[in-house]
Amino acid sequence: MISGLTIIIGAGLYWLVPRGTKQVTGSIKSQLRLMTDRRIILAVIVMITLMAAEYTFYTYIRPIITDVLGFSTSQVNHHALKDVACEQTPF
């Protein structure tokens, strides 16, 4: 099933991606200048915060939930995956 979806998505991308677009040359200086844009800074902060929250959950909170409260690992994984799938991005 995954292979079939991969082929379908690959064909769709091949069909949808424009051909013959001009390539813009850039420099390291122009790339670093992007780091002064508030939107880029906000996106970096949001991603770092989300990664830290996930690390905190799996490192500190999950053992408490499974060992102290008695939930099974599959119950914790099910709820964690459901929360991530329902999460909306601010962009």
Side-chain angles (χ1 to χ4, degrees):
M1 181 173 166
I2 302 257
S3 299
L5 287 174
T6 302
I7 292 171
I8 292 170
I9 291 171
L13 287 173
Y14 180 78
W15 181 66
L16 291 173
V17 173
R19 293 166 189 64
T21 56
K22 281 186 144 184
Q23 297 295 317
V24 179
T25 58
S27 65
I28 299 294
K29 186 177 179 181
S30 66
Q31 293 293 314
L32 291 175
R33 195 175 321 129
L34 285 174
M35 291 307 295
T36 61
D37 188 355
R38 287 179 40 176
R39 296 172 295 176
I40 301 295
I41 294 170
L42 178 65
V44 169
I45 290 171
V46 166
M47 291 308 299
I48 289 172
T49 304
L50 289 173
M51 287 185 270
E54 186 174 350
Y55 175 79
T56 302
F57 175 76
Y58 282 108
T59 304
Y60 298 107
I61 298 173
R62 185 175 178 185
I64 294 171
I65 292 172
T66 55
D67 297 340
V68 177
L69 298 177
F71 286 94
S72 70
T73 306
S74 63
Q75 289 174 321
V76 175
N77 287 341
H78 172 71
H79 289 293
L81 291 175
K82 187 176 88 177
D83 292 343
V84 170
C86 295
E87 192 173 84
Q88 295 182 2
T89 59
F91 302 107

